[in-house]
Amino acid sequence: MMTVNEIRAPVHIQDSGRYGYRHLGIGHAGAMDVLALKAGNLLLGNDEHAAALEIALGSLSVSFSRDTVFCLTGAFYQAFLDELPVHSYWRYSARRGQTLRLVRAVQGMYGYLCVSGGFDVAEILGSRSTDLKAAFGGFQGRSLQAGDRLRLLDGKTQAKRIGIAPPARPPRIRLLPAAEYTAFSAAAHSGLVENGWLLRSDSNRMGYRFDGTELPLRQPLEMLSHAVCAGTVQVPPGGQPIILMADAQTTGGYPKIACVAAADLGHLAQTRFGSTVYFETVSVAEARRLQQRNQIYLNQIRRIVEDAD
């Protein structure tokens, strides 16, 4: 069991997401940075899709009522297990009665607290993720509150302390042209990749909003609502792009100039509000190579854990 003592951040349970139901209007939810979630789970010997706590920027204090192995990944946090400093991408053994404090995120946006075995919440439609908009999944379909007590699945109670390298963050987010790419002007095509884009503070798990050079269409375009997914770069009439994220709606009516390469979605998610983001376009073949690179990284973690255990 884990008890939430104090919480000053949006915190909820997420796994790698809920897939196969978007045709019914059900989003996939899931971790904003799936690569970080998988890395943490593999470091603990869990299934890579196991549920963890996703913490956005702020502070969190939890206590363990049994011996538990855990790690932090994603955003780099100033954190302590009682008085012991805890470093991201290292695994630690907590004893019964110890308290883990996450003071603040010093780099990145979304941190993941993974525990050996994962969190024991109901699997709904193939996932333990919290769908915050529909209020189901995770822990009672909501963000956590002080006093919540979370059950843990069976897992290791002790493990050798080992660490792994965090994934390398690219200087630019890679994009693929989307269905309406050719409907945009040459100025929009060049502006998208040549200029920096300010990530607005009204961004959230549903979509990241950007300010920058207007991305004009060649001519006015009326569209019916159509299917969209995480990573889609929509351009509303104002010409400022919105990139759909983990809690994206299932349909939208804005033209799509691009889509973020799946391998880079987690990197984008870790960008702080107010930061400037740069994009570049890549081919489908390059996007697949980026995915393969992420898989190689995860396979390396598996080997490190196997050698240590």
Side-chain angles (χ1 to χ4, degrees), residues 33-44 70-77 79 86-92 107-114 160-169 266-267 270 297-298 301 304-305:
D33 186 347
V34 175
L35 183 63
L37 172 82
K38 290 181 177 181
N41 278 322
L42 292 177
L43 183 57
L44 299 180
F70 73 92
C71 68
L72 299 174
T73 60
F76 285 79
Y77 262 86
V86 169
H87 304 289
S88 294
Y89 291 90
W90 283 77
R91 72 180 185 189
Y92 295 83
Q107 181 180 334
M109 276 288 297
Y110 293 94
Y112 296 90
L113 170 54
C114 304
K160 179 181 178 182
R161 188 180 300 174
I162 57 173
I164 56 173
R169 302 291 181 191
H267 302 320
Q270 294 295 356
Y297 170 72
L298 296 176
I301 299 173
I304 291 169
V305 172

Short mmCIF file of all heavy atoms in Angstrom, two decimals, residues 33-44 70-77 79 86-92 107-114 160-169 266-267 270 297-298 301 304-305:
data_model
loop_
_atom_site.label_atom_id
_atom_site.label_comp_id
_atom_site.label_asym_id
_atom_site.label_seq_id
_atom_site.Cartn_x
_atom_site.Cartn_y
_atom_site.Cartn_z
N ASP A 33 4.60 10.87 -21.75
CA ASP A 33 5.92 10.43 -22.22
C ASP A 33 6.00 8.92 -22.05
O ASP A 33 6.47 8.41 -21.03
CB ASP A 33 7.02 11.13 -21.43
CG ASP A 33 8.42 10.84 -21.96
OD1 ASP A 33 8.57 9.92 -22.79
OD2 ASP A 33 9.38 11.53 -21.54
N VAL A 34 5.51 8.18 -23.04
CA VAL A 34 5.43 6.73 -22.94
C VAL A 34 6.82 6.10 -22.85
O VAL A 34 7.01 5.10 -22.16
CB VAL A 34 4.63 6.15 -24.13
CG1 VAL A 34 4.65 4.62 -24.10
CG2 VAL A 34 3.19 6.65 -24.10
N LEU A 35 7.81 6.68 -23.52
CA LEU A 35 9.16 6.13 -23.47
C LEU A 35 9.70 6.17 -22.05
O LEU A 35 10.31 5.21 -21.57
CB LEU A 35 10.08 6.90 -24.42
CG LEU A 35 11.52 6.38 -24.52
CD1 LEU A 35 11.54 4.96 -25.08
CD2 LEU A 35 12.37 7.31 -25.39
N ALA A 36 9.47 7.27 -21.33
CA ALA A 36 9.91 7.38 -19.94
C ALA A 36 9.19 6.37 -19.05
O ALA A 36 9.79 5.77 -18.16
CB ALA A 36 9.69 8.80 -19.43
N LEU A 37 7.89 6.20 -19.28
CA LEU A 37 7.13 5.21 -18.51
C LEU A 37 7.69 3.82 -18.73
O LEU A 37 7.92 3.07 -17.77
CB LEU A 37 5.66 5.27 -18.94
CG LEU A 37 4.77 4.15 -18.37
CD1 LEU A 37 4.33 4.50 -16.96
CD2 LEU A 37 3.57 3.89 -19.26
N LYS A 38 7.91 3.45 -19.98
CA LYS A 38 8.42 2.11 -20.28
C LYS A 38 9.81 1.92 -19.69
O LYS A 38 10.13 0.84 -19.16
CB LYS A 38 8.44 1.88 -21.80
CG LYS A 38 7.06 1.75 -22.43
CD LYS A 38 7.17 1.49 -23.92
CE LYS A 38 5.80 1.28 -24.55
NZ LYS A 38 5.91 1.01 -26.01
N ALA A 39 10.67 2.95 -19.77
CA ALA A 39 12.01 2.84 -19.20
C ALA A 39 11.95 2.56 -17.71
O ALA A 39 12.69 1.70 -17.19
CB ALA A 39 12.80 4.12 -19.48
N GLY A 40 11.07 3.26 -16.99
CA GLY A 40 10.94 3.04 -15.56
C GLY A 40 10.45 1.64 -15.23
O GLY A 40 10.96 0.99 -14.31
N ASN A 41 9.47 1.19 -15.97
CA ASN A 41 8.95 -0.16 -15.72
C ASN A 41 10.00 -1.23 -15.98
O ASN A 41 10.15 -2.18 -15.20
CB ASN A 41 7.70 -0.41 -16.58
CG ASN A 41 6.45 0.18 -15.97
OD1 ASN A 41 6.26 0.17 -14.76
ND2 ASN A 41 5.59 0.72 -16.81
N LEU A 42 10.74 -1.09 -17.07
CA LEU A 42 11.76 -2.09 -17.38
C LEU A 42 12.90 -2.06 -16.35
O LEU A 42 13.46 -3.11 -16.02
CB LEU A 42 12.31 -1.84 -18.78
CG LEU A 42 11.33 -2.09 -19.93
CD1 LEU A 42 11.96 -1.74 -21.27
CD2 LEU A 42 10.84 -3.54 -19.94
N LEU A 43 13.22 -0.88 -15.84
CA LEU A 43 14.25 -0.78 -14.81
C LEU A 43 13.87 -1.57 -13.56
O LEU A 43 14.73 -2.10 -12.85
CB LEU A 43 14.48 0.69 -14.46
CG LEU A 43 15.57 1.02 -13.45
CD1 LEU A 43 16.92 0.47 -13.88
CD2 LEU A 43 15.65 2.53 -13.23
N LEU A 44 12.56 -1.69 -13.31
CA LEU A 44 12.07 -2.43 -12.15
C LEU A 44 11.76 -3.89 -12.46
O LEU A 44 11.40 -4.65 -11.56
CB LEU A 44 10.80 -1.76 -11.61
CG LEU A 44 10.94 -0.32 -11.14
CD1 LEU A 44 9.60 0.20 -10.63
CD2 LEU A 44 12.00 -0.18 -10.07
N PHE A 70 11.23 1.03 -6.26
CA PHE A 70 10.61 2.08 -7.08
C PHE A 70 11.68 2.82 -7.86
O PHE A 70 12.89 2.71 -7.61
CB PHE A 70 9.85 3.06 -6.19
CG PHE A 70 10.73 3.98 -5.39
CD1 PHE A 70 11.11 5.22 -5.89
CD2 PHE A 70 11.21 3.59 -4.15
CE1 PHE A 70 11.94 6.06 -5.17
CE2 PHE A 70 12.05 4.42 -3.42
CZ PHE A 70 12.42 5.66 -3.93
N CYS A 71 11.24 3.65 -8.81
CA CYS A 71 12.14 4.56 -9.51
C CYS A 71 11.34 5.74 -10.04
O CYS A 71 10.10 5.70 -10.12
CB CYS A 71 12.86 3.86 -10.66
SG CYS A 71 11.81 3.38 -12.04
N LEU A 72 12.05 6.80 -10.37
CA LEU A 72 11.49 7.99 -11.00
C LEU A 72 12.09 8.12 -12.39
O LEU A 72 13.30 7.96 -12.57
CB LEU A 72 11.82 9.25 -10.20
CG LEU A 72 11.30 9.33 -8.77
CD1 LEU A 72 11.86 10.58 -8.09
CD2 LEU A 72 9.78 9.35 -8.74
N THR A 73 11.25 8.43 -13.38
CA THR A 73 11.74 8.69 -14.74
C THR A 73 11.00 9.89 -15.30
O THR A 73 10.15 10.49 -14.65
CB THR A 73 11.54 7.47 -15.67
OG1 THR A 73 10.13 7.16 -15.73
CG2 THR A 73 12.32 6.26 -15.18
N GLY A 74 11.32 10.24 -16.55
CA GLY A 74 10.68 11.40 -17.17
C GLY A 74 11.35 12.68 -16.72
O GLY A 74 12.58 12.82 -16.83
N ALA A 75 10.58 13.60 -16.18
CA ALA A 75 11.14 14.85 -15.66
C ALA A 75 12.14 14.54 -14.54
O ALA A 75 11.96 13.59 -13.78
CB ALA A 75 10.03 15.75 -15.13
N PHE A 76 13.18 15.37 -14.43
CA PHE A 76 14.17 15.20 -13.37
C PHE A 76 13.69 15.98 -12.14
O PHE A 76 13.50 17.19 -12.20
CB PHE A 76 15.53 15.70 -13.83
CG PHE A 76 16.20 14.76 -14.78
CD1 PHE A 76 15.83 14.72 -16.12
CD2 PHE A 76 17.18 13.89 -14.35
CE1 PHE A 76 16.43 13.85 -17.00
CE2 PHE A 76 17.80 13.01 -15.23
CZ PHE A 76 17.42 12.99 -16.56
N TYR A 77 13.49 15.24 -11.05
CA TYR A 77 12.95 15.82 -9.83
C TYR A 77 14.01 15.96 -8.76
O TYR A 77 14.93 15.13 -8.66
CB TYR A 77 11.83 14.93 -9.28
CG TYR A 77 10.44 15.40 -9.65
CD1 TYR A 77 9.87 15.03 -10.87
CD2 TYR A 77 9.71 16.23 -8.82
CE1 TYR A 77 8.61 15.48 -11.22
CE2 TYR A 77 8.46 16.68 -9.17
CZ TYR A 77 7.91 16.30 -10.36
OH TYR A 77 6.66 16.75 -10.71
N ALA A 79 14.26 15.07 -5.24
CA ALA A 79 13.45 14.10 -4.50
C ALA A 79 14.29 13.46 -3.40
O ALA A 79 15.52 13.38 -3.48
CB ALA A 79 12.90 13.03 -5.44
N VAL A 86 17.19 11.10 -4.01
CA VAL A 86 16.75 10.13 -5.01
C VAL A 86 16.95 10.74 -6.39
O VAL A 86 16.50 11.87 -6.65
CB VAL A 86 15.27 9.75 -4.79
CG1 VAL A 86 14.72 8.97 -5.97
CG2 VAL A 86 15.10 8.98 -3.50
N HIS A 87 17.63 10.02 -7.26
CA HIS A 87 17.93 10.51 -8.59
C HIS A 87 17.06 9.82 -9.63
O HIS A 87 16.81 8.61 -9.54
CB HIS A 87 19.41 10.30 -8.91
CG HIS A 87 20.33 10.93 -7.91
ND1 HIS A 87 20.49 12.29 -7.82
CD2 HIS A 87 21.11 10.38 -6.93
CE1 HIS A 87 21.34 12.57 -6.85
NE2 HIS A 87 21.74 11.43 -6.29
N SER A 88 16.63 10.57 -10.63
CA SER A 88 15.81 10.00 -11.69
C SER A 88 16.62 8.98 -12.48
O SER A 88 17.83 9.11 -12.63
CB SER A 88 15.31 11.10 -12.63
OG SER A 88 14.41 11.95 -11.96
N TYR A 89 15.93 7.96 -12.96
CA TYR A 89 16.48 6.85 -13.75
C TYR A 89 17.42 5.96 -12.92
O TYR A 89 18.29 5.29 -13.47
CB TYR A 89 17.17 7.37 -15.02
CG TYR A 89 16.17 7.93 -16.02
CD1 TYR A 89 15.81 9.27 -15.99
CD2 TYR A 89 15.55 7.11 -16.96
CE1 TYR A 89 14.87 9.79 -16.88
CE2 TYR A 89 14.62 7.61 -17.85
CZ TYR A 89 14.27 8.94 -17.81
OH TYR A 89 13.34 9.44 -18.69
N TRP A 90 17.22 5.94 -11.60
CA TRP A 90 17.84 4.97 -10.71
C TRP A 90 16.74 4.26 -9.95
O TRP A 90 15.70 4.86 -9.66
CB TRP A 90 18.78 5.66 -9.72
CG TRP A 90 20.09 6.05 -10.31
CD1 TRP A 90 20.35 7.12 -11.12
CD2 TRP A 90 21.33 5.36 -10.14
NE1 TRP A 90 21.67 7.15 -11.48
CE2 TRP A 90 22.31 6.08 -10.88
CE3 TRP A 90 21.73 4.22 -9.44
CZ2 TRP A 90 23.64 5.70 -10.94
CZ3 TRP A 90 23.06 3.84 -9.49
CH2 TRP A 90 24.00 4.57 -10.24
N ARG A 91 16.96 3.01 -9.61
CA ARG A 91 15.97 2.29 -8.82
C ARG A 91 16.44 2.20 -7.37
O ARG A 91 17.64 2.07 -7.10
CB ARG A 91 15.66 0.92 -9.39
CG ARG A 91 16.72 -0.13 -9.23
CD ARG A 91 16.29 -1.46 -9.86
NE ARG A 91 17.27 -2.50 -9.60
CZ ARG A 91 17.25 -3.70 -10.16
NH1 ARG A 91 16.30 -4.00 -11.05
NH2 ARG A 91 18.17 -4.61 -9.86
N TYR A 92 15.47 2.26 -6.46
CA TYR A 92 15.74 2.28 -5.03
C TYR A 92 14.82 1.29 -4.32
O TYR A 92 13.72 1.00 -4.80
CB TYR A 92 15.49 3.67 -4.46
CG TYR A 92 16.43 4.73 -4.98
CD1 TYR A 92 16.17 5.37 -6.20
CD2 TYR A 92 17.57 5.09 -4.29
CE1 TYR A 92 17.03 6.34 -6.69
CE2 TYR A 92 18.44 6.07 -4.78
CZ TYR A 92 18.16 6.68 -5.98
OH TYR A 92 19.01 7.63 -6.46
N GLN A 107 13.82 19.80 -14.30
CA GLN A 107 13.95 19.73 -15.77
C GLN A 107 12.84 18.84 -16.29
O GLN A 107 12.58 17.76 -15.77
CB GLN A 107 15.31 19.14 -16.16
CG GLN A 107 15.54 19.06 -17.65
CD GLN A 107 16.90 18.46 -17.97
OE1 GLN A 107 17.83 18.55 -17.18
NE2 GLN A 107 17.02 17.86 -19.13
N GLY A 108 12.15 19.30 -17.34
CA GLY A 108 11.06 18.51 -17.91
C GLY A 108 9.73 18.85 -17.27
O GLY A 108 9.63 19.64 -16.32
N MET A 109 8.66 18.24 -17.79
CA MET A 109 7.29 18.53 -17.36
C MET A 109 6.63 17.40 -16.60
O MET A 109 5.96 17.62 -15.60
CB MET A 109 6.44 18.83 -18.60
CG MET A 109 6.52 20.25 -19.10
SD MET A 109 5.68 21.45 -18.03
CE MET A 109 3.99 20.88 -18.15
N TYR A 110 6.80 16.17 -17.06
CA TYR A 110 6.05 15.03 -16.53
C TYR A 110 7.00 13.98 -15.96
O TYR A 110 7.84 13.43 -16.68
CB TYR A 110 5.16 14.41 -17.61
CG TYR A 110 4.06 15.32 -18.07
CD1 TYR A 110 4.23 16.14 -19.19
CD2 TYR A 110 2.85 15.40 -17.37
CE1 TYR A 110 3.22 17.00 -19.60
CE2 TYR A 110 1.84 16.25 -17.78
CZ TYR A 110 2.03 17.05 -18.90
OH TYR A 110 1.03 17.90 -19.30
N GLY A 111 6.85 13.71 -14.66
CA GLY A 111 7.63 12.67 -14.02
C GLY A 111 6.78 11.43 -13.79
O GLY A 111 5.54 11.51 -13.70
N TYR A 112 7.44 10.27 -13.69
CA TYR A 112 6.74 9.00 -13.49
C TYR A 112 7.31 8.29 -12.27
O TYR A 112 8.53 8.07 -12.19
CB TYR A 112 6.83 8.12 -14.74
CG TYR A 112 6.13 8.78 -15.89
CD1 TYR A 112 6.83 9.64 -16.74
CD2 TYR A 112 4.76 8.65 -16.07
CE1 TYR A 112 6.18 10.32 -17.74
CE2 TYR A 112 4.11 9.34 -17.07
CZ TYR A 112 4.82 10.17 -17.90
OH TYR A 112 4.16 10.86 -18.89
N LEU A 113 6.44 7.99 -11.32
CA LEU A 113 6.80 7.17 -10.16
C LEU A 113 6.32 5.76 -10.44
O LEU A 113 5.12 5.48 -10.44
CB LEU A 113 6.16 7.73 -8.89
CG LEU A 113 6.25 6.86 -7.63
CD1 LEU A 113 7.69 6.48 -7.32
CD2 LEU A 113 5.60 7.56 -6.44
N CYS A 114 7.28 4.90 -10.73
CA CYS A 114 7.00 3.49 -11.03
C CYS A 114 7.33 2.65 -9.80
O CYS A 114 8.33 2.91 -9.12
CB CYS A 114 7.83 3.00 -12.21
SG CYS A 114 7.63 3.97 -13.73
N LYS A 160 19.00 -4.60 -6.20
CA LYS A 160 20.27 -3.88 -6.29
C LYS A 160 20.02 -2.49 -6.88
O LYS A 160 19.25 -2.34 -7.83
CB LYS A 160 21.24 -4.66 -7.18
CG LYS A 160 22.58 -4.01 -7.38
CD LYS A 160 23.45 -4.87 -8.29
CE LYS A 160 24.80 -4.22 -8.56
NZ LYS A 160 25.62 -5.06 -9.49
N ARG A 161 20.67 -1.49 -6.31
CA ARG A 161 20.51 -0.13 -6.82
C ARG A 161 21.30 0.03 -8.11
O ARG A 161 22.52 -0.11 -8.12
CB ARG A 161 20.98 0.90 -5.80
CG ARG A 161 20.64 2.35 -6.22
CD ARG A 161 21.13 3.34 -5.20
NE ARG A 161 20.52 3.12 -3.90
CZ ARG A 161 20.85 3.78 -2.80
NH1 ARG A 161 21.82 4.70 -2.85
NH2 ARG A 161 20.25 3.53 -1.66
N ILE A 162 20.61 0.28 -9.19
CA ILE A 162 21.26 0.51 -10.48
C ILE A 162 20.59 1.69 -11.16
O ILE A 162 19.45 2.04 -10.87
CB ILE A 162 21.20 -0.74 -11.41
CG1 ILE A 162 19.74 -1.16 -11.64
CG2 ILE A 162 22.02 -1.88 -10.85
CD1 ILE A 162 19.61 -2.26 -12.68
N GLY A 163 21.33 2.29 -12.10
CA GLY A 163 20.80 3.41 -12.85
C GLY A 163 20.99 3.22 -14.34
O GLY A 163 21.80 2.40 -14.77
N ILE A 164 20.24 3.96 -15.11
CA ILE A 164 20.33 3.90 -16.56
C ILE A 164 20.44 5.33 -17.09
O ILE A 164 20.08 6.30 -16.41
CB ILE A 164 19.11 3.21 -17.20
CG1 ILE A 164 17.81 3.92 -16.76
CG2 ILE A 164 19.08 1.74 -16.83
CD1 ILE A 164 16.56 3.42 -17.44
N ALA A 165 20.91 5.47 -18.29
CA ALA A 165 20.97 6.79 -18.92
C ALA A 165 19.56 7.19 -19.37
O ALA A 165 18.80 6.36 -19.88
CB ALA A 165 21.90 6.76 -20.12
N PRO A 166 19.19 8.45 -19.18
CA PRO A 166 17.90 8.90 -19.72
C PRO A 166 17.96 8.95 -21.24
O PRO A 166 19.05 9.01 -21.82
CB PRO A 166 17.74 10.30 -19.13
CG PRO A 166 19.15 10.76 -18.90
CD PRO A 166 19.92 9.53 -18.51
N PRO A 167 16.83 8.91 -21.91
CA PRO A 167 16.84 9.01 -23.38
C PRO A 167 17.35 10.37 -23.82
O PRO A 167 17.10 11.39 -23.17
CB PRO A 167 15.38 8.80 -23.77
CG PRO A 167 14.60 9.15 -22.55
CD PRO A 167 15.45 8.78 -21.38
N ALA A 168 18.09 10.39 -24.91
CA ALA A 168 18.61 11.65 -25.44
C ALA A 168 17.46 12.48 -26.04
O ALA A 168 16.61 11.94 -26.75
CB ALA A 168 19.65 11.36 -26.51
N ARG A 169 17.42 13.76 -25.71
CA ARG A 169 16.39 14.64 -26.22
C ARG A 169 16.89 15.35 -27.48
O ARG A 169 17.94 15.97 -27.46
CB ARG A 169 16.00 15.68 -25.16
CG ARG A 169 15.51 15.09 -23.85
CD ARG A 169 14.18 14.41 -23.99
NE ARG A 169 13.69 13.86 -22.71
CZ ARG A 169 12.66 13.05 -22.61
NH1 ARG A 169 12.00 12.68 -23.69
NH2 ARG A 169 12.28 12.58 -21.43
N GLY A 266 7.02 11.98 -26.76
CA GLY A 266 7.43 12.12 -25.36
C GLY A 266 8.40 13.26 -25.16
O GLY A 266 8.35 13.98 -24.15
N HIS A 267 9.31 13.47 -26.13
CA HIS A 267 10.24 14.58 -26.05
C HIS A 267 9.47 15.91 -26.06
O HIS A 267 9.78 16.83 -25.29
CB HIS A 267 11.22 14.55 -27.21
CG HIS A 267 12.02 13.28 -27.31
ND1 HIS A 267 12.52 12.63 -26.20
CD2 HIS A 267 12.39 12.53 -28.37
CE1 HIS A 267 13.18 11.55 -26.58
NE2 HIS A 267 13.10 11.47 -27.89
N GLN A 270 7.77 16.76 -22.73
CA GLN A 270 8.63 17.22 -21.64
C GLN A 270 9.06 18.68 -21.78
O GLN A 270 9.77 19.21 -20.92
CB GLN A 270 9.88 16.33 -21.56
CG GLN A 270 9.59 14.89 -21.16
CD GLN A 270 9.03 14.75 -19.74
OE1 GLN A 270 8.91 15.72 -19.00
NE2 GLN A 270 8.69 13.52 -19.37
N TYR A 297 16.99 1.44 -27.23
CA TYR A 297 17.19 1.99 -25.89
C TYR A 297 16.50 1.13 -24.83
O TYR A 297 17.08 0.79 -23.79
CB TYR A 297 16.68 3.42 -25.85
CG TYR A 297 16.60 4.04 -24.47
CD1 TYR A 297 17.75 4.41 -23.78
CD2 TYR A 297 15.36 4.28 -23.88
CE1 TYR A 297 17.66 4.98 -22.52
CE2 TYR A 297 15.27 4.86 -22.62
CZ TYR A 297 16.42 5.21 -21.95
OH TYR A 297 16.33 5.78 -20.70
N LEU A 298 15.25 0.74 -25.09
CA LEU A 298 14.51 -0.09 -24.14
C LEU A 298 15.14 -1.48 -24.02
O LEU A 298 15.21 -2.04 -22.91
CB LEU A 298 13.05 -0.20 -24.56
CG LEU A 298 12.24 1.11 -24.55
CD1 LEU A 298 10.84 0.88 -25.09
CD2 LEU A 298 12.18 1.72 -23.15
N ILE A 301 18.02 -1.39 -21.66
CA ILE A 301 17.61 -1.40 -20.25
C ILE A 301 17.32 -2.83 -19.81
O ILE A 301 17.72 -3.25 -18.71
CB ILE A 301 16.37 -0.51 -20.04
CG1 ILE A 301 16.69 0.94 -20.40
CG2 ILE A 301 15.88 -0.61 -18.59
CD1 ILE A 301 15.49 1.85 -20.37
N ILE A 304 20.61 -4.53 -19.10
CA ILE A 304 21.24 -4.03 -17.88
C ILE A 304 20.58 -4.64 -16.65
O ILE A 304 21.26 -5.08 -15.71
CB ILE A 304 21.14 -2.48 -17.83
CG1 ILE A 304 22.05 -1.88 -18.89
CG2 ILE A 304 21.51 -1.96 -16.44
CD1 ILE A 304 21.82 -0.38 -19.08
N VAL A 305 19.25 -4.71 -16.66
CA VAL A 305 18.52 -5.28 -15.52
C VAL A 305 18.79 -6.78 -15.40
O VAL A 305 18.98 -7.29 -14.29
CB VAL A 305 17.02 -4.97 -15.66
CG1 VAL A 305 16.21 -5.71 -14.59
CG2 VAL A 305 16.78 -3.47 -15.54
#
